[in-house]
Amino acid sequence: MTGGGAHVQQGPAARQAALAERVLAEGSATAADLAERFGVSLMTIHRDLDELERQGVVRKFRGGVTAQPSGVFESNVQYRLKSMLPQKAALAERALKSVEPGMAILLDDSTTALEIARRLRLGAITPLTVVTNFLEAVNLLAGRRGIRLMALGGDYDPLHSSFLGVSCVEAVQRLRVDVCFTSTSAVRGGYAYHQEQHIVSVKRAMLDSAERNVLLVDHTKLSRSALHQVAPLSRFDLLLVDDGASPGELRGLEEHKACYEVCATEPGGGR
């Protein structure tokens, strides 16, 4: 991003999203530097940062701000929808090779799985039953010819744009699907992790309801930490990661006997 006049015409919401991306990328920033970069007053920047702090995206300190990359930022669907798009596209393209006409598949509320839904809506693989708790995916696939869509109910969580809670878990437990596609916040030490306990329970139920489980993670998740264990990597029949993963990170997957594939990222991929 460049500073100055390029940002003057942005509305508050767009500017705050760009601010959040900048702070997440750099880890921290001063208010004065952000004001210069975005071509707005220091007062405007402080108002923007106050709003981002209210949302739980950043944490303010005297004269500046830090990102909370393992907290609410990763949970907020508004921001997840914009991150790592070429990598998610590569993972989704490979995941489609596991889908055949007549299958019932389960998509969790990850924006990585949403990239699979974007491709399914084109109707190249039909007939198909798609089960999901992600409102974004429901909206994408509703009414698509050849797709039987089953929306999982529960407590609506606007932060994730998905349905969660006991009702959702019970709905999942009553189903049996061919393949579950899921993503998590982090992969470390032979386990997949997520930062929020109430989402972990839904993901575990989804894994239990599927004949085959596929984990999709962009390479940044191989170097992150999150609070709650979801499942050991042995629980997944296949782990898909993009080609940004380092040799050391891939060796770590091999040491824990993970069955993985590296997906080539196309330059300018995504949407």
Side-chain angles (χ1 to χ4, degrees):
M1 294 178 197
T2 58
H7 295 279
V8 172
Q9 301 302 317
Q10 284 188 330
R15 186 176 59 249
Q16 288 162 16
L19 271 170
E21 288 186 17
R22 167 62 63 178
V23 176
L24 181 65
E26 297 186 353
S28 64
T30 67
D33 180 52
L34 292 171
E36 181 179 351
R37 287 173 186 258
F38 286 86
V40 295
S41 71
L42 199 57
M43 183 179 297
T44 297
I45 283 295
H46 276 296
R47 281 200 299 265
D48 287 342
L49 295 179
D50 285 342
E51 173 59 22
L52 291 175
E53 185 175 49
R54 185 192 68 77
Q55 296 175 22
V57 174
V58 301
R59 185 187 304 277
K60 289 185 71 178
F61 60 88
R62 189 175 184 85
V65 65
T66 59
Q68 299 193 104
S70 63
V72 178
F73 190 101
E74 286 184 359
S75 301
N76 193 316
V77 69
Q78 176 184 355
Y79 299 104
R80 287 190 290 126
L81 285 168
K82 301 173 184 176
S83 67
M84 306 300 290
L85 292 182
Q87 291 78 13
K88 291 174 182 176
L91 299 176
E93 289 290 346
R94 170 58 185 87
L96 285 181
K97 295 180 181 179
S98 300
V99 181
E100 299 176 0
M103 277 187 169
I105 69 170
L106 181 54
L107 304 179
D108 73 354
D109 63 351
S110 66
T111 52
T112 307
L114 184 64
E115 290 301 314
I116 299 175
R118 292 190 194 285
R119 286 151 179 78
L120 292 177
R121 75 190 297 265
L122 301 177
I125 307 174
T126 57
L128 202 64
T129 297
V130 179
V131 184
T132 185
N133 66 326
F134 198 10
L135 184 58
E136 303 287 330
V138 171
N139 290 336
L140 270 178
L141 298 175
R144 308 308 297 184
R145 185 183 298 273
I147 292 181
R148 178 192 180 198
L149 179 63
M150 297 181 65
L152 296 167
D155 298 318
Y156 179 68
D157 186 329
L159 183 65
H160 302 88
S161 190
S162 62
F163 297 89
L164 303 167
V166 173
S167 299
C168 184
V169 169
E170 291 178 346
V172 175
Q173 290 172 337
R174 290 192 290 267
L175 300 173
R176 191 70 185 168
V177 299
D178 294 296
V179 187
C180 170
F181 296 101
T182 187
S183 187
T184 59
S185 304
V187 170
R188 177 166 293 200
Y191 285 84
Y193 289 82
H194 199 278
Q195 72 269 19
E196 292 166 282
Q197 191 170 22
H198 65 298
I199 289 183
V200 168
S201 60
V202 174
K203 288 184 185 290
R204 285 176 177 168
M206 289 180 168
L207 297 180
D208 289 340
S209 75
E211 294 289 342
R212 190 163 186 266
N213 291 302
V214 179
L215 177 64
L216 301 89
V217 288
D218 69 71
H219 68 275
T220 65
K221 295 178 178 180
L222 300 183
S223 58
R224 290 183 184 174
S225 296
L227 187 59
H228 301 285
Q229 281 188 3
V230 177
L233 295 185
S234 59
R235 190 73 179 78
F236 300 94
D237 299 275
L238 179 64
L239 185 157
L240 299 178
V241 65
D242 67 89
D243 53 9
S246 71
E249 289 166 338
L250 296 179
R251 280 196 300 272
L253 295 178
E254 292 167 3
E255 288 171 2
H256 290 96
K257 305 296 190 290
C259 178
Y260 73 89
E261 280 189 33
V262 177
C263 305
T265 303
E266 294 291 333
R271 57 183 177 83

